[in-house]
Amino acid sequence: MTSGNEIIPAPRAVVGPMRCGVLLDDSTVLCAAPGTESTERWLRATLGAAHGLPLRPGPEEARGGVRLLVDDTLEPEAYRLSVITDRGVEIRGGDPAGVFWGAQTLRQLLGPDAFRRAPVRPGMRYGIAHQIIEDGPRFHWRGLLLDVARHFMTKEGVLRYLDLMAAHKLNVLHFHLTDDQGWRVEIERHPRLTEVGSWRSRTKFGHRASPLWDDRPHGGFYTQDDIREIVAYAAERHITVVPEIDLPGHSQAAIAAYPELGNTDVVDTRALPVWDTWGINPNVLAPTDNTLRFYEEVLEEVLALFPSEFIHVGGDECPKEQWRGSPTAQARIEELGLAGEEELQAWFIGHFDTWLAARGRRLIGWDEILEGGLADGAAVSSWRGYAGGIAAARAGHDVVMCPEQHVYLDHRQDGGAEEPVPIGYVRSLEDVYRFEPVPPGLTPEEAAHVLGTQANAWTEVMEDPARVDYQVFPRLAAFAEVAWSRLPAPERRDFAGFERRMEAHYERLDALGVGYRPPGGPKPWQKRPGVLGRPIEGAPPHR
């Protein structure tokens, strides 16, 4: 019999477990009430396939069956999972998402075999200890940023990561689709964005200071039908996909495809390729009416593909040198009566905030969008520490906390010499577990603007899916608990207890085929000897 003591993320309350319980076998029926259809499909397709259980439809009163119900007396996304001897398993959710998260907990109770795609012990009966689990999330936004612009991930890889997110009760995929190094979403009105902008001739291997290159062309993109499939697959798992279309910086791939988007009066944009290295790129969008219309047309197609409330527009790391030297940009500043280039960027972001709001959507961007003023309805992704989030919340803006010093998963996991391509501060499993998303010093009213938190997987030094797995796991499990569970203050968190639960969770990750970083350090094939990184020594600043 398995119990609720090994669940990740940790549930709010567990009564039991007791030695008696419920057995699931070929005769177990599944009763799904209205509103639970997505979980019903998932249980049959996933748990049913893993254990060889047909989970045939059955009546609510069937003894020993599995029952799914929506119960609006529970909070949104909350659930109550009851395993009652001689009665069966019941999952009640405050909404359809809550039922689904309860099913994810049921999967963990069934052991690591439940995370496989086909039964390895055919005909076996699976026991669950008698217990009641009450649970619900701390934050509404529990996100993972997946950067497919720097290194492309196939559609199948994205679908796999949606499954991994669901297994950890994460509910927002921040889909970073465009950058200097590649444009990954088909825009039918502007086909050169993918014909030209989705491929680069070569790629820097390691940090930008590395002398190493991968001379193979790299790229790829998602057709609009691919995007529709990804969004639908996510919705079945109660995950919202928030697209990011970068502007006005991080835009060289778009400029390579359509040179008129760049600052043609200061640089020969026709000579610009899709960028093949990393860092902050000086080639930014020109603040012209043509550029605005072009990106409105892009966003029209993006809105048709992504039904999310929020659309991310980047807004970070936009050097102003070209604007300072551009007569066109300076004329725009004078025409608008702006104080300078910082306000020009604010005007750029404000234009799209107004444009999105008129269509019932909300703009979100990196914390640089606070500079020069921010429109009332815009939200902020606070990445440069806590300061941006604090400023935004105090100004009445909603915030997603994702400070690079704490939850950037491209940062190294250990200070040892064998850590592959060491980037940034050491952010160990324990460091992530002790991350606190709500900045200290906020009033309750200000803290209510913290929508939640997000871990970011930037892929400059993650050249293939195996490297993504290594950097993301097991730290995403610790992050998921921070985002979902109501944990004590960081210094009082029971990391030793979390490590004990991780022993069971590693078996689940093994069954899923996740190439995580082992607790004892990288395996020989996970190392990258001689590939230059950018380690930063010492503890990261808490700011």
Side-chain angles (χ1 to χ4, degrees), residues 246-309:
D246 259 309
L247 57 88
H250 288 289
S251 298
Q252 185 162 318
I255 296 169
Y258 293 94
E260 64 272 20
L261 297 174
N263 294 284
T264 57
D265 51 355
V266 293
V267 64
D268 181 6
T269 56
R270 295 169 300 176
L272 294 177
V274 177
W275 212 28
D276 56 12
T277 188
W278 320 122
I280 299 176
N281 190 311
N283 296 299
V284 303
L285 297 175
T288 63
D289 290 341
N290 174 69
T291 300
L292 297 180
R293 297 292 87 77
F294 183 95
Y295 273 85
E296 287 173 359
E297 291 164 0
V298 167
L299 288 171
E300 284 173 0
E301 296 192 28
V302 168
L303 296 190
L305 294 170
F306 295 93
S308 55
E309 174 186 6

Side-chain angles (χ1 to χ4, degrees), residues 58-364:
E60 183 178 349
E61 64 273 12
R63 298 177 68 84
V66 177
R67 293 179 294 280
L68 309 176
L69 304 96
V70 173
D71 181 348
D72 60 11
T73 66
L74 299 175
E75 301 167 1
E77 293 196 272
Y79 67 89
R80 180 186 299 118
L81 171 60
S82 304
V83 183
I84 308 298
T85 305
D86 297 329
R87 288 179 55 189
V89 177
E90 180 182 271
I91 303 174
R92 290 179 176 267
D95 55 10
V99 178
F100 183 72
W101 303 131
Q104 294 295 332
T105 296
L106 174 64
R107 187 188 196 186
Q108 292 197 21
L109 294 178
L110 285 165
D113 286 355
F115 291 80
R116 298 188 179 276
R117 295 191 181 185
V120 293
R121 294 169 181 81
M124 182 175 174
R125 304 175 77 192
Y126 293 88
I128 313 173
H130 179 110
Q131 61 195 295
I132 298 175
I133 298 176
E134 302 263 3
D135 202 6
R138 179 185 179 190
F139 291 110
H140 171 66
W141 185 302
R142 307 180 302 279
L144 172 68
L145 178 144
L146 197 56
D147 171 21
V148 297
R150 272 54 176 272
H151 279 100
F152 180 65
M153 180 178 283
T154 65
K155 180 195 70 177
E156 287 301 318
V158 175
L159 299 180
R160 173 177 176 262
Y161 258 82
L162 288 167
D163 281 330
L164 292 172
M165 290 175 63
H168 292 83
K169 300 185 176 74
L170 299 175
N171 69 342
V172 178
L173 173 64
H174 179 159
F175 207 17
H176 184 73
L177 288 165
T178 75
D179 215 294
D180 299 302
Q181 296 87 1
W183 185 285
R184 305 293 178 217
V185 55
E186 177 189 27
I187 302 298
E188 292 177 349
R189 190 161 182 172
H190 299 295
R192 286 176 60 83
L193 286 171
T194 48
E195 290 171 0
V196 174
S198 69
W199 287 90
R200 58 180 182 262
S201 61
R202 63 174 188 169
T203 301
K204 175 67 70 173
F205 192 46
H207 183 254
R208 60 181 175 272
S210 167
L212 303 176
W213 292 89
D214 182 344
D215 286 320
R216 296 172 298 176
H218 177 86
F221 68 93
Y222 309 104
T223 67
Q224 294 202 357
D225 279 347
D226 290 337
I227 295 292
R228 294 184 184 99
E229 180 181 356
I230 288 167
V231 169
Y233 194 86
E236 276 282 297
R237 287 146 184 80
H238 299 276
I239 296 171
T240 299
V241 183
V242 174
E244 180 175 347
I245 304 297
D246 259 309
L247 57 88
H250 288 289
S251 298
Q252 185 162 318
I255 296 169
Y258 293 94
E260 64 272 20
L261 297 174
N263 294 284
T264 57
D265 51 355
V266 293
V267 64
D268 181 6
T269 56
R270 295 169 300 176
L272 294 177
V274 177
W275 212 28
D276 56 12
T277 188
W278 320 122
I280 299 176
N281 190 311
N283 296 299
V284 303
L285 297 175
T288 63
D289 290 341
N290 174 69
T291 300
L292 297 180
R293 297 292 87 77
F294 183 95
Y295 273 85
E296 287 173 359
E297 291 164 0
V298 167
L299 288 171
E300 284 173 0
E301 296 192 28
V302 168
L303 296 190
L305 294 170
F306 295 93
S308 55
E309 174 186 6
F310 289 97
I311 302 295
H312 207 292
V313 299
D316 62 316
E317 297 180 330
C318 178
K320 309 300 189 293
E321 286 79 6
Q322 290 186 356
W323 288 350
R324 292 188 185 100
S326 164
T328 301
Q330 293 304 309
R332 178 68 89 179
I333 289 171
E334 183 175 356
E335 170 199 340
L336 297 170
L338 303 178
E341 290 76 23
E342 296 294 341
E343 287 192 7
L344 182 62
Q345 177 167 339
W347 165 81
F348 212 114
I349 297 297
H351 174 89
F352 288 101
D353 177 77
T354 301
W355 189 90
L356 288 167
R359 289 154 181 80
R361 306 297 185 96
R362 292 181 66 189
L363 179 145
I364 186 169

Side-chain angles (χ1 to χ4, degrees), residues 409-416 419 423 425-429 431 467 469-475 516-518:
L409 300 182
D410 53 320
H411 283 212
R412 56 193 173 134
Q413 303 182 66
D414 188 85
E419 202 64 22
I423 298 294
Y425 297 99
V426 172
R427 293 287 83 194
S428 67
L429 184 66
D431 291 327
R467 282 285 291 132
D469 275 9
Y470 180 91
Q471 291 297 134
V472 170
F473 288 98
R475 292 182 295 181
Y516 57 85
R517 182 190 189 276

